[in-house]
Amino acid sequence: MVKLTLELIARSTSRHTRRKKDENVHQFVHRLTHLYLENKHIHDAGEDLVLCHNLIVLYMYDNQLTHIPKLSCSSSLTHLYLQNNKISKIENLTVLVQLQKIFLGGNLITVLEGLENLKQLQELHVENQCLPQGEHLLFDPRSLQGISEKLSRLTQLMVINNQLDDMKELAQLLSSWQHLWRLDLTGNPLCQKPKYKDQIIVMANHLEVLDGKTITQTERQFLVSWQAIRDLHLKRSQDNLLRQDTFASVSAEMAGGQNLPPVGQRQAGLSAPALPGMQHRQYGDVLEKFSSLDPSRARKAQSGISRT
C-alpha cells in the first residue's frame, strides 16, 4: 500500500519534463501537465494533487484507490484514467468542466452519477464493473439529463461484461446515436441471442466496429439485403393471414344470416319465388335454366312459374 506524496508526484513525469535547477518542488509540480502514476500500488491519493494546477492528463489506473482523487484545482484536466481500482462511487468531478475522457472500467461502481457538469465529455468508459451478485449498473437521472446532449453525439461505447439483455432498448438507443461508430458489448447476456451481431449491423448502418471487429461494406450489404427479403416474406405471410381471417369472418356472418336467399339464387340475381312442393334439386335446375335467359325472358318465365 502506498500513499501519494509530493515527492512521488515529482518523480512521475515523462522523461521530457525535468525539474529546473532554480525551482522548488512546489513550482515544478505546479507546471506539470501530465502525470504517470499508474501501477504504483497507491491506495491513498492524499492532498498534494491539488497543487497540480496545470494538469491535463492523469494516469492512475491499476492501483488500489477506493475514491476518485480530489482535483479541485485541476480545472484544465481533459483525460482521467482510473480503470482497475476499487472505486465504488463517482465523485469529485464537479470542477472538471474541461474533462473529455474518463476511464472507470474495472471498478466497483453501481451507479453512474456526478456527471451532470461534464459538458465537454466525449468518452465515458465504465466496462467490466465488479458488481455484487444481482446488482445492475444504474444511471442517475440528473447525470443522464446533464449529458443527454452529448450522448446524442456519442462516437464510442464500451460496455463490456455487464448485464445488458434487452435488444429492443438497444435498438432505440442506436437509432438516436447517429454518430456512434464503435460499440463493444462483449460479455453481456444479449450476446447469447441468435444472430445478435447481424441484427445490430442492420439496425446501425453508421457502425464501423462491433465487439472489436471491423464491419465490412460487403457484410453490411448482404445482411441488409437478407433482412429486406425476410421482411418481404413476413409481410406477405401477414397479408395472407389477414385475407384468410377476413374471408372466415365474412363467411361466418353469411352463415348466421336469417333472411339470405340460397347461394345459387343470389348468383343468378333472382328474387326468391314461391315454389311450393318443388324438390331442392328441381328448384336448382330451374334456377340454372333461368340464368341462361336474358333478364326480360327470365322475368316472364319466373312470373309463369309463380302462377302455376
Side-chain angles (χ1 to χ4, degrees), residues 173-213:
L173 292 173
L174 290 177
S175 65
S176 61
W177 291 340
Q178 294 298 315
H179 299 279
L180 190 72
W181 65 268
R182 181 183 179 189
L183 175 64
D184 201 329
L185 297 163
T186 306
N188 283 279
L190 62 77
C191 297
Q192 305 302 318
K193 296 182 182 294
K195 298 185 181 298
Y196 96 96
K197 287 187 177 180
D198 295 350
Q199 295 181 54
I200 292 175
I201 292 173
V202 171
M203 287 188 295
N205 56 13
H206 41 79
L207 208 60
E208 298 177 14
V209 180
L210 177 59
D211 294 350
K213 295 184 179 180

Side-chain angles (χ1 to χ4, degrees), residues 26-296:
H26 288 83
Q27 292 172 328
F28 176 57
V29 168
H30 179 79
R31 68 180 178 87
L32 293 177
T33 59
H34 292 64
L35 269 182
Y36 300 86
L37 293 166
E38 70 276 9
N39 195 24
K40 295 187 181 298
H41 309 287
I42 299 171
H43 77 285
D44 187 350
E47 302 293 333
D48 291 330
L49 272 175
V50 298
L51 300 176
C52 303
H53 291 266
N54 294 300
L55 201 59
I56 297 176
V57 180
L58 175 59
Y59 297 95
M60 292 193 74
Y61 57 86
D62 293 340
N63 282 295
Q64 302 295 319
L65 295 172
T66 57
H67 298 84
I68 294 177
K70 293 181 179 179
L71 300 162
S72 55
C73 294
S74 302
S75 58
S76 58
L77 193 72
T78 61
H79 293 60
L80 181 57
Y81 296 80
L82 292 170
Q83 63 267 42
N84 301 327
N85 279 281
K86 297 181 178 180
I87 298 169
S88 59
K89 182 178 177 62
I90 300 177
E91 56 188 349
N92 299 327
L93 301 179
T94 304
V95 299
L96 305 182
V97 293
Q98 298 299 321
L99 195 63
Q100 298 175 9
K101 300 181 182 182
I102 182 169
F103 295 78
L104 293 167
N107 280 285
L108 308 172
I109 297 168
T110 57
V111 180
L112 292 178
E113 56 187 340
L115 307 174
E116 48 267 28
N117 290 329
L118 306 183
K119 304 301 183 182
Q120 303 301 319
L121 191 64
Q122 297 177 6
E123 295 185 23
L124 172 63
H125 298 258
V126 291
E127 74 281 0
N128 199 23
Q129 297 298 318
C130 302
L131 303 178
Q133 186 70 28
E135 289 280 355
H136 301 281
L137 190 64
L138 303 174
F139 270 90
D140 178 73
R142 291 168 298 180
S143 290
L144 269 183
Q145 184 176 5
I147 63 175
S148 59
E149 182 180 348
K150 289 297 178 183
L151 284 176
S152 65
R153 296 197 294 271
L154 197 67
T155 60
Q156 300 182 60
L157 179 64
M158 276 66 74
V159 285
I160 301 169
N161 294 333
N162 282 290
Q163 299 296 320
L164 300 177
D165 62 355
D166 195 321
M167 187 66 77
K168 290 183 178 179
E169 289 185 357
L170 179 62
Q172 293 176 349
L173 292 173
L174 290 177
S175 65
S176 61
W177 291 340
Q178 294 298 315
H179 299 279
L180 190 72
W181 65 268
R182 181 183 179 189
L183 175 64
D184 201 329
L185 297 163
T186 306
N188 283 279
L190 62 77
C191 297
Q192 305 302 318
K193 296 182 182 294
K195 298 185 181 298
Y196 96 96
K197 287 187 177 180
D198 295 350
Q199 295 181 54
I200 292 175
I201 292 173
V202 171
M203 287 188 295
N205 56 13
H206 41 79
L207 208 60
E208 298 177 14
V209 180
L210 177 59
D211 294 350
K213 295 184 179 180
T214 301
I215 301 170
T216 65
Q217 191 62 26
T218 301
E219 181 182 13
R220 172 171 280 116
Q221 288 177 349
F222 171 79
L223 291 173
V224 170
S225 299
W226 173 81
Q227 183 66 38
I229 294 173
R230 184 175 179 274
D231 291 343
L232 180 61
H233 285 306
L234 180 61
K235 185 178 185 303
R236 287 177 176 174
S237 298
Q238 291 174 341
D239 290 345
N240 287 335
L241 287 174
L242 180 61
R243 283 194 293 268
Q244 292 174 8
D245 291 343
T246 302
F247 178 78
S249 177
V250 172
S251 298
E253 291 179 2
M254 293 177 65
Q258 299 298 319
N259 301 313
L260 294 177
V263 173
Q265 183 177 348
R266 294 199 303 274
Q267 291 176 347
L270 301 176
S271 58
L275 299 175
M278 183 175 289
Q279 297 297 321
H280 178 73
R281 180 175 297 178
Q282 294 174 312
Y283 180 53
D285 292 341
V286 171
L287 289 178
E288 183 177 357
K289 180 179 179 181
F290 285 165
S291 64
S292 62
L293 300 176
D294 61 70
S296 60

